[in-house]
């Protein structure tokens, strides 16, 4: 019998293993043939690389910065020099986080953002359901909030783009309480939307996928790939984990996969009804990440940062994803929420053309001629079915959220969806992995 079986070799499962392996017999079971979960490295034809999954680290994400340094990796700042672009009718340049819009729209947007941030600061991220107005806010959607607190259509459109960029979802899909919690968990909505000083500040040389691979390698042969878990049977003495290849027995289990994927596992005895109901109401956001490679970052010569928002095409948010020290320029765009669900079923060629049309709408016809292109449709990935993280609709936090982190018998839960700080981010995955490892250590000793 093993001490611990960890299901999932994303950052949360790997962090739990890293903390438990000294002194305990640990096995990590991963369905994929790689480590990283929702991070993914891609190599272009010319040997250049990029991240097609999670990639950023920013101020306050101390666990992740510490891991990067410990593993011998280094960070560099995302390019944030020059003018940003906003397409709201016509294309305009601006600086800072808030797009350059008309004065009435700017005032309207700023009022809504300020109100949202003030409400978010009142929450305890470890227990958002305890706020005196939690039930009121949890009955509302973000769309309801925007109807109440914005006056102009353009302000609602810009706020909606920001919501899509953070949640990969539409305002009507999100509980207002969940959106407020998520912002509080990440510091603030402004921090989650910002580059310098915010969640998109830095990237990792070698990619976040490279960091995950190195972390898994440091654990030796305890990480087993191609082992999708089909069943967990548990009793007072431990648990039996059955994959498509074999069965494993352990005193404790850490489940470090997205809630929607945990539902694909058969539990015997069955999950408590409240836990089953909670996971069923935590679907993943919808996201397709798209990267075009050019021989140079041509937009910089025009004084542009590569950051753009708005428009009515597939991509409504872009970044300059060029690695520092490399010649090739990379433009990154996201297709999110309803647009991701719309573009997921189409052919790869048609989607590529739509993405390049969107890039050209911001940066000119040169954007239509990359030297290479790649995208990742996370909604169709069989082991995630979406990104960046779970979204919670109205009523979920206040009716079921209290049990989010509770163990079920010998089964402990990790994953970024169980984090108090950095929910939805790699930082949150590390926090949750460390917490679950601490719970197991408290039971097993050592």
């Amino acid at each position: 019998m093993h001490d611990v079986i960890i299901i999932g070799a994303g950052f949360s499962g790997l962090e739990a293993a890293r903390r438990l392996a000294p002194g305990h017999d640990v096995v990590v079971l991963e369905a994929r043939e790689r480590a990283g979960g929702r991070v993914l490295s891609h190599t272009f034809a010319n040997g250049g690389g990029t991240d097609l999954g999670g990639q950023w680290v920013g101020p306050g994400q101390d666990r992740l910065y510490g891991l990067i340094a410990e593993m011998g990796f280094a960070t560099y700042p995302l390019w944030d020099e020059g003018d940003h672009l906003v397409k709201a009718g016509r294309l305009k340049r601006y600086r800072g986080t808030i797009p350059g819009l008309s004065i009435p729209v700017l005032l309207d947007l700023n009022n809504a953002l300020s109100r949202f941030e003030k409400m978010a600061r009142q929450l305890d991220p470890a227990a958002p359901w305890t706020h005196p107005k939690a039930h009121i806010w949890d009955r509302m959607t973000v769309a309801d909030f925007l109807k109440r607190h914005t006056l102009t259509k353009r302000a609602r459109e810009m706020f909606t783009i920001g919501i899509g960029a953070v949640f990969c979802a539409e305002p009507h899909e999100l509980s207002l309480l969940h959106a407020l919690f998520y912002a509080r968990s990440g510091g603030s909505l402004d921090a989650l939307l910002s580059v310098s000083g915010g969640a998109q500040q830095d990237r990792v040389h070698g990619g976040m996928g490279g960091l995950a691979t190195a972390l898994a390698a440091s654990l030796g042969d305890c990480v087993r790939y191609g082992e999708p878990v089909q069943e967990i049977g548990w009793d007072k003495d431990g648990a039996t984990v059955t994959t498509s290849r074999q069965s494993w027995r352990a005193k404790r289990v850490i489940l470090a996969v997205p809630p929607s994927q945990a539902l694909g596992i058969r539990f015997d005895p069955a999950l408590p009804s409240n836990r089953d109901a909670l996971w069923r109401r935590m679907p993943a956001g919808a996201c397709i990440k798209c990267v075009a490679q050019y021989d140079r970052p041509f937009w910089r010569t025009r004084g542009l940062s590569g950051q753009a928002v708005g428009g009515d095409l597939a991509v409504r948010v872009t970044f300059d994803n060029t690695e520092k020290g490399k010649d090739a320029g990379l433009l990154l765009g996201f297709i999110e929420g309803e647009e991701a669900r719309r573009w997921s079923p189409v052919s790869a060629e048609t989607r590529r053309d739509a993405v390049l049309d969107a890039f050209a709408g911001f940066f000119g016809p040169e954007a239509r001629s990359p030297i290479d292109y790649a995208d990742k449709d996370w909604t169709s990935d069989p082991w995630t079915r979406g990104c960046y993280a779970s979204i919670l609709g109205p009523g979920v936090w206040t009716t079921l959220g209290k049990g989010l982190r509770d163990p079920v018998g010998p089964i402990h839960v990790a994953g970024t969806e169980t984090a108090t700080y950095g929910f939805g981010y790699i930082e949150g995955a590390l926090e949750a992995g460390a917490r679950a490892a601490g719970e197991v250590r408290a039971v097993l000793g050592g």
Side-chain angles (χ1 to χ4, degrees):
M1 176 183 283
H2 298 282
D3 289 330
V4 190
I5 292 174
I6 297 171
I7 301 170
F11 273 101
S12 202
L14 294 174
E15 177 69 2
R18 185 170 76 110
R19 290 174 175 267
L20 288 168
H24 294 92
D25 177 9
V26 176
V27 175
V28 181
L29 302 178
E30 169 56 47
R32 297 178 172 94
E33 296 291 345
R34 63 170 180 85
R38 285 171 273 186
V39 305
L40 175 65
S41 294
H42 174 79
T43 302
F44 291 108
N46 65 1
T50 192
D51 281 306
L52 288 180
Q55 66 172 45
W56 282 304
V57 55
Q61 298 182 11
D62 298 335
R63 293 179 187 271
L64 183 50
Y65 276 117
L67 178 63
I68 291 166
E70 184 177 338
M71 298 303 300
F73 283 66
T75 63
Y76 62 95
L78 187 81
W79 184 264
D80 196 27
E81 300 178 23
D83 293 335
H84 312 324
L85 295 173
V86 59
K87 199 166 191 178
R90 63 189 181 91
L91 197 61
K92 294 177 62 177
R93 295 182 177 225
Y94 72 99
R95 295 286 180 106
T97 304
I98 304 298
L101 303 165
S102 69
I103 296 299
V105 173
L106 278 175
L107 290 172
D108 193 19
L109 181 59
N110 185 67
N111 176 67
L113 286 169
S114 297
R115 185 182 294 271
F116 184 95
E117 297 282 33
K118 182 179 179 180
M119 294 164 67
R121 285 194 296 270
Q122 299 173 27
L123 293 180
D124 175 2
W129 57 86
T130 60
H131 189 277
K133 293 185 178 179
H135 283 83
I136 296 173
W137 293 345
D138 205 26
R139 287 197 296 266
M140 296 173 62
T141 65
V142 174
D144 294 330
F145 171 85
L146 291 176
K147 288 178 183 177
R148 291 189 182 190
H149 300 297
T150 57
L151 299 173
T152 62
K153 179 181 178 181
R154 189 69 74 192
R156 286 191 291 275
E157 289 175 349
M158 289 296 107
F159 203 113
T160 296
I161 290 172
I163 290 295
V166 172
F167 296 93
C168 296
E170 304 299 325
H172 67 267
E173 298 177 288
L174 292 166
S175 155
L176 176 59
L177 181 65
H178 178 62
L180 296 170
F181 153 77
Y182 197 107
R184 179 72 176 87
S185 175
S188 68
L189 186 60
D190 180 68
L192 297 182
L193 291 168
S194 296
V195 175
S196 298
Q200 285 72 234
Q201 176 175 284
D202 293 322
R203 294 194 60 213
V204 177
H205 282 295
M208 206 64 80
L211 178 65
T213 299
L215 177 57
S218 74
L219 295 169
D221 61 4
C222 78
V223 183
R224 309 296 179 91
Y225 299 105
E227 294 276 6
V229 172
Q230 298 175 333
E231 182 175 352
I232 303 174
W234 54 279
D235 52 44
K236 61 182 180 62
D237 298 317
T240 300
V241 178
T242 302
T243 73
S244 58
R245 295 178 176 176
Q246 58 194 306
S247 292
W248 310 73
R249 183 73 179 168
K251 298 172 185 174
R252 291 277 147 171
V253 170
I254 295 177
L255 192 58
V257 298
S260 60
Q261 295 305 295
L263 287 169
I265 299 171
R266 179 176 179 270
F267 292 86
D268 183 20
L271 289 170
S273 60
N274 280 357
R275 180 59 58 89
D276 181 83
L278 174 62
W279 286 353
R280 290 183 187 281
R281 297 175 70 181
M282 294 181 69
C287 176
I288 305 172
K289 187 174 183 179
C290 315
V291 183
Q293 184 190 46
Y294 303 87
D295 59 2
R296 59 187 175 83
F298 63 86
W299 50 91
R300 294 183 185 179
T301 63
R302 294 165 48 199
L304 295 174
S305 66
Q307 295 171 46
V309 296
D312 55 2
L313 296 174
V315 172
R316 295 174 185 173
V317 179
T318 73
F319 295 92
D320 179 335
N321 221 38
T322 307
E323 183 172 357
K324 186 177 181 180
K326 302 289 187 180
D327 292 331
L330 301 179
L331 269 181
L332 161 64
F334 291 102
I335 307 176
E336 298 151 332
E338 289 181 356
E339 285 296 299
R341 291 187 284 269
R342 173 188 170 197
W343 285 101
S344 177
V346 306
S347 70
E349 294 78 12
T350 300
R351 188 166 64 226
R352 176 185 182 275
D353 290 344
V355 171
L356 296 180
D357 282 345
F359 286 170
F362 289 122
F363 303 105
E366 196 169 356
R368 285 198 176 91
S369 303
I371 59 176
D372 209 342
Y373 173 88
D375 67 24
K376 173 64 175 177
D377 177 9
W378 286 98
T379 68
S380 63
D381 186 288
W383 305 114
T384 55
R385 308 305 297 186
C387 268
Y388 316 125
S390 296
I391 58 175
L392 279 72
V396 181
W397 269 117
T398 50
T399 58
L400 300 166
K402 188 176 180 180
L404 178 65
R405 304 175 191 96
D406 293 345
V408 177
I411 305 167
H412 302 259
V413 291
T416 190
E417 281 86 0
T418 65
T420 58
Y421 182 82
F423 184 108
Y425 289 79
I426 297 170
E427 179 72 13
L430 296 176
E431 180 207 87
R435 172 191 48 75
E439 293 172 0
V440 169
R441 191 178 295 110
V443 174
L444 300 182

